[in-house]
């Protein structure tokens, strides 16, 4: 029995070591990469969802609340004007003294800080404002359509709309138009006030500065009508703006429910939240560039990869030191099993590869017999482990004497053995296995009283072309299991 393994065994162990290191590197690298990537993707998804589902809608809700708050007071003022007995009495008296209503409108404008205040009589069709009589309204005039719309309203007493103010150099103005009734509930005119858009600009700028977001309003046609400082000089239609033009139709969807969208602009991802403001007839659009936040996540991702690379190197170094230490110990292990004198499992791996190459080159069949001792635990429990070792050696001796000289017998482990048969098909291997079973069954192992029968169960498999080593031996093991399942002391071919 050789005291040192053959050189090929050492080379084999060296090859296994480096394969182990490569495999460990791949596993650690793939594990760290997958973990870091999953963490990055989850963080990015959480970030984008948080901004799209919470932050941007909250900004829109806050601006919407500010708009509603600023609109509530003008609505209340227009309601007071419409229900003022002076206004109604003056109209019903025939509008004889226009200076009175002009003075009234001028006082309302000054007192409440409105950009304009007005009254239109349905009887005379005259348009009064704080500086006199502006004109007479007509259903044929495009600019007077709003009045006839208010006149025809039935479900509400007032409306809010954005239009140009002829009395203020055609500047864009928010008008609160309120119906005026006589004491019998008959429509006699419309009154109200106009507000400048500066208040809304202030709200937009405040939120835009705080949250670093683009905030703007577009009308139902997609025209940019109001924006914060970053887009204050923007003109035209969002259908022509870079990036946002890809989602313009989705923004102008004529739906009151908030819409969550996104688009790409110069490698930057922009998240968008839009909602329709019924009081204005506009769409409020809030945008946020998440590229800076994503870049922050990317830096963390790269840092995680760097740490993972360092940990991988450290683990590989420790593994290499450990493997080298144990390799030297393994190399001192003999190529045969100390108890039985059979080749051990490590030697079988080398011999299997040789036999595999020979079988492929010569097209000769190769088979394996995997067998173990039936109810071996009874021997140890009844007579002790020393007798159990004698039975293991005896089975090895009988197997060595029974199989062919060219066959390789190894101790597979415990009370299991494996016979590798070169140039042997399944039928021939089954015959060898049956001869071995009969020989063991008829052999006297010299056990003391009480006598225990020593038998074996055997599984036989023939190697298939391009089959892996593990698959080959797994089939033999499955055949052994079937032999044991069918009553033991038998042979089963895979």
């Amino acid at each position: 029995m050789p005291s040192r393994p053959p050189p090929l065994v050492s080379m084999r162990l060296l090859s296994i070591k480096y394969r182990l290191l490569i495999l460990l590197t791949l596993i650690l690298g793939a594990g760290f990469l997958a973990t870091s990537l999953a963490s990055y993707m989850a963080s990015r998804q959480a970030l984008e969802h948080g901004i799209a589902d919470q932050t941007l809608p909250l900004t829109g809700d806050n601006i919407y609340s500010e708009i509603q708050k600023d609109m509530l007071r003008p609505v209340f003022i227009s309601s007071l004007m419409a229900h003022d007995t002076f206004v109604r009495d003056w109209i019903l008296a025939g509008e004889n003294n226009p200076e009175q209503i002009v003075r009234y409108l001028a006082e309302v404008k000054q007192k409440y800080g409105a950009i304009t205040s007005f009254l239109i009589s349905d009887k005379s069709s005259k348009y009064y404002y704080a500086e006199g009589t502006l004109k007479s309204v007509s259903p044929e005039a495009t600019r007077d359509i709003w009045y006839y719309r208010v006149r025809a309203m039935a479900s509400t007493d007032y409306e809010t709309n954005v239009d140009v103010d002829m009395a203020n150099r055609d500047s864009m103005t928010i008008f609160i138009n309120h119906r005026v009734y006589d004491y019998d509930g008959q429509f006699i005119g419309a009154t109200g006030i106009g507000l400048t858009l500066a208040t809304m600009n202030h709200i937009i700028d405040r939120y835009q500065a705080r949250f670093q977001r683009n905030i703007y309003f577009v009308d139902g046609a997609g025209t940019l009508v109001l924006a914060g400082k970053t887009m204050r000089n923007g003109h035209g239609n969002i259908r022509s703006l870079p990036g946002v033009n890809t989602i313009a139709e989705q923004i102008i969807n004529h739906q009151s429910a908030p819409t969550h969208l996104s688009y790409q602009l110069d490698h930057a991802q922009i998240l968008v939240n839009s909602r329709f403001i019924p009081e204005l007839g506009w769409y409020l659009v809030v945008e946020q560039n998440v590229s800076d936040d994503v870049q922050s996540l990317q830096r963390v991702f790269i840092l995680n990869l760097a740490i993972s690379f360092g940990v991988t190197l450290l683990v590989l170094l420790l593994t290499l030191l450990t493997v080298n230490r144990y390799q030297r110990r393994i190399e001192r292990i003999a190529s045969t099993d100390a108890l039985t004198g059979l080749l051990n499992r490590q030697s079988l791996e080398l011999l299997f590869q040789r036999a595999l190459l020979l079988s492929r080159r010569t097209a000769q069949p190769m088979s394996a017999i995997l067998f173990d001792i039936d109810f071996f635990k009874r021997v140890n429990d009844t007579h002790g482990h020393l007798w159990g070792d004698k039975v293991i050696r005896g089975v090895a001796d009988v197997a060595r004497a029974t199989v062919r000289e060219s066959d390789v017998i190894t101790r597979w482990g415990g009370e299991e053995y494996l016979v590798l048969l070169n140039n042997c098909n399944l039928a021939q291997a089954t015959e060898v296995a049956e001869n071995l079973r009969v020989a063991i069954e008829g052999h006297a192992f010299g056990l003391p009283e009480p006598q225990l029968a020593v038998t074996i169960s055997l599984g036989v498999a023939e190697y298939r072309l391009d089959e892996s080593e593990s698959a080959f031996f797994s089939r033999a093991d499955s055949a052994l299991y079937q032999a044991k399942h069918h009553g033991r002391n038998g042979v089963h071919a895979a």
Side-chain angles (χ1 to χ4, degrees), residues 6-190:
L8 287 175
V9 174
S10 298
M11 293 177 61
R12 173 69 170 168
L13 292 174
L14 188 64
S15 175
I16 292 175
K17 177 183 72 174
Y18 286 115
R19 285 208 306 269
L20 173 64
L21 291 176
I22 293 174
L23 180 61
L24 186 59
T25 301
L26 293 176
I27 292 175
L28 287 175
F32 283 128
L33 179 62
T35 302
S36 300
L37 186 60
S39 176
Y40 167 73
M41 295 302 294
S43 299
R44 177 169 180 169
Q45 189 176 30
L47 172 68
E48 293 178 356
H49 283 179
I51 294 176
D53 298 338
Q54 298 179 13
T55 306
L56 294 185
L58 181 61
T59 302
D61 290 342
N62 289 338
I63 295 176
Y64 183 51
S65 298
E66 292 281 356
I67 292 173
Q68 286 184 316
K69 182 181 67 176
D70 288 340
M71 297 298 256
L72 183 61
R73 185 167 177 265
V75 169
F76 178 70
I77 295 171
S78 64
S79 177
L80 288 178
M81 295 172 63
H83 291 85
D84 194 316
T85 56
F86 166 75
V87 174
R88 292 189 287 181
D89 289 343
W90 184 82
I91 295 176
L92 294 174
E95 309 171 35
N96 294 324
N97 193 351
E99 290 79 10
Q100 291 179 335
I101 198 65
V102 169
R103 189 165 50 250
Y104 171 83
L105 294 174
E107 185 176 350
V108 169
K109 174 183 175 181
Q110 180 180 3
K111 181 177 180 179
Y112 297 109
I115 188 175
T116 185
S117 56
F118 61 90
L119 170 67
I120 298 177
S121 169
D122 190 60
K123 183 177 181 180
S124 65
S125 299
K126 291 184 178 180
Y127 187 122
Y128 302 98
Y129 74 117
E131 296 179 9
T133 302
L134 183 63
K135 65 170 187 173
S136 293
V137 296
S138 170
E140 286 77 25
T142 303
R143 287 191 172 186
D144 297 335
I145 292 177
W146 68 269
Y147 171 74
Y148 295 96
R149 182 178 65 248
V150 172
R151 183 185 185 188
M153 289 191 314
S155 59
T156 181
D157 289 336
Y158 75 95
E159 70 162 11
T160 302
N161 77 306
V162 179
D163 203 349
V164 295
D165 185 6
M166 291 184 295
N168 194 29
R169 299 179 181 179
D170 283 352
S171 61
M172 293 300 294
T173 304
I174 303 175
F175 290 98
I176 294 87
N177 308 314
H178 205 294
R179 290 165 59 91
V180 181
Y181 300 96
D182 63 14
Y183 298 103
D184 295 324
Q186 300 298 316
F187 178 80
I188 58 174

Side-chain angles (χ1 to χ4, degrees), residues 2 11 27 43 84 124 148 153 188 228-229 232 256 258 270 281 287 297 321 353 374 382 430 438 440 459 472 491:
M11 293 177 61
I27 292 175
S43 299
D84 194 316
S124 65
Y148 295 96
M153 289 191 314
I188 58 174
K229 291 180 179 179
R232 189 64 53 76
S256 58
I270 311 297
E287 297 182 348
L297 292 178
L321 294 175
Q353 295 300 327
D374 295 330
T382 304
T430 304
V438 172
I440 295 296
F472 176 44
V491 178

Side-chain angles (χ1 to χ4, degrees), residues 400-457:
R400 190 183 291 112
T402 305
V403 301
R404 304 173 306 179
E405 291 185 3
S406 60
D407 298 333
V408 178
I409 310 174
T410 62
R411 187 180 179 190
W412 190 251
E415 69 274 16
E416 285 187 321
Y417 306 81
L418 188 137
V419 184
L420 192 63
L421 305 99
N422 294 309
N423 194 19
C424 184
N425 59 30
L426 184 63
Q428 294 169 327
T430 304
E431 184 179 349
V432 172
E434 177 61 23
N435 293 336
L436 180 57
R437 184 196 68 78
V438 172
I440 295 296
E441 184 181 29
H443 184 74
F445 287 89
L447 292 172
E449 296 293 336
Q451 287 288 332
L452 296 174
V454 177
T455 61
I456 59 173
S457 298

Side-chain angles (χ1 to χ4, degrees), residues 214-229:
N214 281 338
I215 301 170
Y216 55 93
F217 290 86
V218 296
D219 61 18
T223 303
L224 189 66
V225 293
L226 188 64
K229 291 180 179 179

Side-chain angles (χ1 to χ4, degrees), residues 197-228:
L197 296 181
T199 301
M200 294 175 63
N201 281 331
H202 176 69
I203 296 171
I204 292 175
D205 291 339
R206 186 170 73 245
Y207 278 96
Q208 190 163 283
R210 182 188 304 177
F211 300 110
Q212 300 298 313
R213 300 179 186 119
N214 281 338
I215 301 170
Y216 55 93
F217 290 86
V218 296
D219 61 18
T223 303
L224 189 66
V225 293
L226 188 64

Side-chain angles (χ1 to χ4, degrees), residues 147-429:
Y147 171 74
Y148 295 96
R149 182 178 65 248
V150 172
R151 183 185 185 188
M153 289 191 314
S155 59
T156 181
D157 289 336
Y158 75 95
E159 70 162 11
T160 302
N161 77 306
V162 179
D163 203 349
V164 295
D165 185 6
M166 291 184 295
N168 194 29
R169 299 179 181 179
D170 283 352
S171 61
M172 293 300 294
T173 304
I174 303 175
F175 290 98
I176 294 87
N177 308 314
H178 205 294
R179 290 165 59 91
V180 181
Y181 300 96
D182 63 14
Y183 298 103
D184 295 324
Q186 300 298 316
F187 178 80
I188 58 174
T191 188
I193 61 175
L195 302 176
T196 178
L197 296 181
T199 301
M200 294 175 63
N201 281 331
H202 176 69
I203 296 171
I204 292 175
D205 291 339
R206 186 170 73 245
Y207 278 96
Q208 190 163 283
R210 182 188 304 177
F211 300 110
Q212 300 298 313
R213 300 179 186 119
N214 281 338
I215 301 170
Y216 55 93
F217 290 86
V218 296
D219 61 18
T223 303
L224 189 66
V225 293
L226 188 64
K229 291 180 179 179
T230 57
M231 298 184 66
R232 189 64 53 76
N233 295 325
H235 299 286
N237 198 289
I238 59 173
R239 293 187 178 91
S240 61
L241 294 179
V244 71
N245 59 347
T246 60
I247 59 171
E249 298 302 329
Q250 295 170 271
I251 292 177
I252 314 168
N253 55 17
H254 304 288
Q255 296 180 3
S256 58
T259 305
H260 308 304
L261 304 167
S262 67
Y263 66 88
Q264 294 291 130
L265 180 63
D266 298 331
H267 306 291
Q269 183 179 10
I270 311 297
L271 297 183
V272 179
N273 179 271
S274 69
R275 65 182 302 162
F276 182 67
I277 308 297
E279 292 87 348
L280 303 178
W282 292 350
Y283 292 89
L284 169 62
V285 183
V286 183
E287 297 182 348
Q288 180 164 344
N289 186 341
V290 297
S291 296
D292 292 338
D293 299 312
V294 171
Q295 287 178 358
S296 177
L297 292 178
Q298 290 174 343
R299 287 192 291 269
V300 174
F301 173 63
I302 294 174
L303 178 61
N304 285 340
L305 289 182
I307 295 174
S308 300
F309 179 73
V311 172
T312 300
L313 289 180
L314 180 61
V315 170
L316 290 177
L317 179 61
L318 294 176
T319 302
L320 182 61
L321 294 175
T322 303
V323 169
N324 285 338
R325 177 183 176 185
Y326 281 95
Q327 181 183 346
R328 290 190 294 268
R329 180 180 300 178
I330 292 172
E331 289 175 349
R332 292 193 296 267
I333 298 175
S335 60
T336 57
D337 176 60
L339 179 62
T340 63
L342 300 175
L343 289 176
N344 59 22
R345 195 163 178 171
Q346 288 79 10
S347 299
L348 174 67
E349 292 185 11
L350 177 61
L351 294 174
F352 176 78
Q353 295 300 327
R354 287 181 177 177
L356 180 59
L357 292 175
L358 178 63
S359 175
R360 290 176 176 174
R361 186 170 61 249
T362 62
Q364 294 178 348
M366 180 176 64
S367 299
I369 301 173
L370 184 63
F371 67 94
D372 70 356
I373 303 171
D374 295 330
F375 304 112
F376 179 72
K377 188 174 183 297
R378 293 180 183 176
V379 177
N380 283 332
D381 293 343
T382 304
H383 302 294
H385 289 279
L386 290 179
W387 277 104
D389 290 345
K390 289 181 180 180
V391 171
I392 290 176
R393 284 194 297 268
V395 170
D397 293 338
V398 174
R400 190 183 291 112
T402 305
V403 301
R404 304 173 306 179
E405 291 185 3
S406 60
D407 298 333
V408 178
I409 310 174
T410 62
R411 187 180 179 190
W412 190 251
E415 69 274 16
E416 285 187 321
Y417 306 81
L418 188 137
V419 184
L420 192 63
L421 305 99
N422 294 309
N423 194 19
C424 184
N425 59 30
L426 184 63
Q428 294 169 327

